[in-house]
Amino acid sequence: MTASSSAAPDGPKAGRSPRAMIWSRRLAGMREFWNEFRKSKSGMAGLIFLLIVIVLAFLAPVIAPDHLLDVTTLGHQPKFGPPSWDHPLGTDGLRRDIGVRLVWGARISLLVGFAATAMSMIIGTIVGIAVGYFTGWFGAILMRIVDFFLVIPSLILAIVLAAVLDRGVFTIVIAIGLTSWAGTARVVRAQTLTVSARDYVDRSRVLGAGHWHVIVKHLLPGVLPLVLANTTLTVGSAIISESTLSFLGLGDATKQSWGTVLQNALSDSAATSGYWWYIMAPGLAIVAVVMAFTMIGRTVEVILNPTLRSR
């Protein structure tokens, strides 16, 4: 009776599959991460602001119907009107409300930022792990490719690609994603070298594990926290790059983005004509969103890096 009662508590735990135990540990790690993240005032402030911007961008057709951008129906609105109760952020040279343009522009800017960052992170992670794991001539050739992309300014390459390819949102995503992965690859390579030298990776190799098993089961989980922290910081850089390309006239002129608003302000000589609201509104929007991503990224980096947390 005593033996059966003492063995009973271990029954459910012993019956759990290894996969269930792994997911249980992952969920516990996520909860611990969220609890640590909530303690950061800057991280929570950046996350709340970013969620507000995402909700506004998602609800753009409801908050600011697209007919408000139809210049043929805006004859009653002032041209280059300063901020007022009717137009809190003023109007542009075509009588369009700047606030409406910013709400719609958030969709393109955030879409390009997330999509280009995803492409950059995927390429950088794959190349970084390959360079750090494989030795010999293959790894040396990949490393030289990484060094090439590190030496050449990514913005210059993005401008060249955007100028050669057809103009559009997809082109901007490709131009930014294909030219901004080298920094991630170098960071992932360093982390891959560190993880590869650990004992459990050596034991896995001795037991006959192949390259795919070692990479997927050991190296990739070891570098993912670093990739996650780097991703939140890279999104802000991608948004700035999109704004720069659109400002230079390399974006899709038919789509609203924050860079396009700045490019239109330049074309209308807003800086020299005293239309300060035309420049300040999109400029502050870009700065605020990039700052939000930076605060989130720094908080994630501190949580995942014990050295920074101790400081």
Side-chain angles (χ1 to χ4, degrees), residues 34-101:
W34 173 244
N35 291 333
E36 291 291 334
F37 189 90
R38 288 190 306 179
K39 298 177 183 177
S40 173
K41 295 181 180 179
S42 61
M44 287 301 297
L47 179 61
I48 293 173
F49 177 79
L50 184 60
L51 289 177
I52 292 174
V53 174
I54 293 175
V55 170
L56 290 176
F58 183 77
L59 297 178
V62 178
I63 299 174
D66 54 0
H67 69 80
L68 296 178
L69 297 174
D70 187 0
V71 296
T72 61
T73 63
L74 303 177
H76 62 285
Q77 295 186 173
K79 185 177 181 180
F80 292 120
S84 61
W85 287 109
D86 294 331
H87 308 286
L89 298 181
T91 61
D92 61 10
L94 297 178
R95 297 182 171 85
R96 294 173 295 185
D97 190 285
I98 301 296
V100 174
R101 296 191 65 185

Side-chain angles (χ1 to χ4, degrees), residues 8-30:
D10 295 335
K13 185 178 294 186
R16 295 174 63 184
S17 64
R19 186 179 298 274
M21 295 177 64
I22 291 174
W23 277 107
S24 177
R25 288 196 299 267
R26 289 177 179 175
L27 291 176
M30 292 179 184

